[in-house]
Amino acid sequence: IMDYGYSHQVNGFYVGGATGEGPVLKAESRIELFETVIAHNQDRGELILHVGGPNFEDVKSMIAFANRQPVTAVSAMAPNAYYSHSDKELVNYYKTIAELSEKPVLIYVTPLMLGNNVNSVFSELIETENIIGLKFTLPNYYQLSILKMLRGGDINVINGPDETLICGLSMGADGGIGSTYNLMPDKFVSLYRAFSEGNIDRAKQIQYDINKVIRVLLEFGAGNTDLKNLKTALSVKLDCDMGCCAFPCAALSEEEKRKLFQSLSQAGLQLQ
């Protein structure tokens, strides 16, 4: 995945987030993942390690590991999606991460994690030393623009939703991180460059082409997650077994794979 991405001029990798299934892996496995990625990176690009998780002792061990490594930053989701933490608790959580980390910190915001109170929490956190911004995986681009105004605009905002990268860039996002970037790095790099050069019509058309593929990944097969479909497609695209998602996810059947590949081909994605 790294070689393929770098061959298409991506700037780096966000490791162990939702796509990497970091939150469901034990800390030892996540650190093994980090070690493998760091060894193979060879200073080709930026690395952001996702260290968030429900067990804070695990979080601390991963931060301690990151402190010793040549990585750009660490990032963290809120502790979990099943307990409603107060704003004060969330602020304390991220301030503690910032105190422990010798690397810059990016907060990771999703609809389940911090989505309802990101403005109130982040407006306080942005004043914390070495909290530099956030990965914004929400569809509310007015909210993104409000966040981008904090600290006089001296804030790093990374667009999360793959299907609306052009929207995030339009409202001030500095770049993008996403699951399907692994499958279509050329398209996302082309979109970013077209937007940066002011060719908005070209950027919009590339986003539409990307979204045809994303729609298949999201909608294909009852009960199948988009991540499972993504890993299945990547296994063929890169001729490398990506495995399945963590238990209890089950692998696609051969017939399901055939239909998925056919649908992706019809959406314009060449797998071979």
Side-chain angles (χ1 to χ4, degrees), residues 196-215:
S196 299
E197 294 165 0
N199 192 341
I200 306 304
D201 287 342
R202 172 64 177 156
K204 183 171 64 174
Q205 185 57 58
I206 297 170
Q207 183 74 78
Y208 287 169
D209 291 341
I210 287 170
N211 288 357
K212 293 174 185 176
V213 174
I214 291 177
R215 184 175 181 180

Side-chain angles (χ1 to χ4, degrees), residues 67-138:
N67 285 342
R68 304 188 299 269
Q69 305 301 319
V71 299
T72 306
V74 298
S75 184
M77 294 181 181
N80 63 67
Y82 306 104
Y83 183 83
S84 182
H85 295 93
S86 68
D87 286 2
K88 183 178 180 180
E89 290 169 331
L90 290 169
V91 166
N92 185 53
Y93 172 76
Y94 283 110
K95 282 188 173 180
T96 303
I97 288 175
E99 290 168 1
L100 293 170
S101 178
E102 298 172 11
K103 308 292 182 179
V105 177
L106 279 169
I107 292 169
Y108 185 173
V109 180
T110 74
L112 289 176
M113 304 279 201
L114 257 178
N116 293 328
N117 44 3
V118 58
N119 286 83
S120 58
V121 169
F122 202 81
S123 60
E124 181 172 351
L125 287 175
I126 196 59
E127 302 304 325
T128 302
E129 186 176 0
N130 85 327
I131 292 181
I132 60 169
L134 70 164
K135 179 177 183 286
F136 185 87
T137 310
L138 298 173

